[in-house]
Amino acid sequence: MRAACELRDAAFIVDDIRPALQHRSVSAATEQRGRDLEGLVDGRRWWQQRS
């Protein structure tokens, strides 16, 4: 269950970031969402704990 939630979170973050990157208008909020995604992926939370 946790893995599914974290995967869904990653998908939401990517949905937030993609339009800004496509239009090359990176705001502070977009940068923060990029850091959020990096933390999610680098932290590898979804495979460190099994539900």
Side-chain angles (χ1 to χ4, degrees):
M1 174 103 157
R2 182 181 178 113
C5 290
E6 290 176 352
L7 189 57
R8 185 185 65 197
D9 189 26
F12 287 145
I13 293 171
V14 169
D15 279 345
D16 289 347
I17 293 172
R18 185 174 8 120
L21 294 177
Q22 288 173 335
H23 295 19
R24 298 173 192 223
S25 59
V26 179
S27 66
T30 301
E31 289 178 8
Q32 180 58 50
R33 293 303 277 164
R35 286 189 293 276
D36 293 344
L37 182 60
E38 183 179 11
L40 183 64
V41 172
D42 286 348
R44 296 182 302 276
R45 295 181 296 186
W46 60 85
W47 65 71
Q48 286 180 344
Q49 293 186 350
R50 301 281 181 196
S51 351

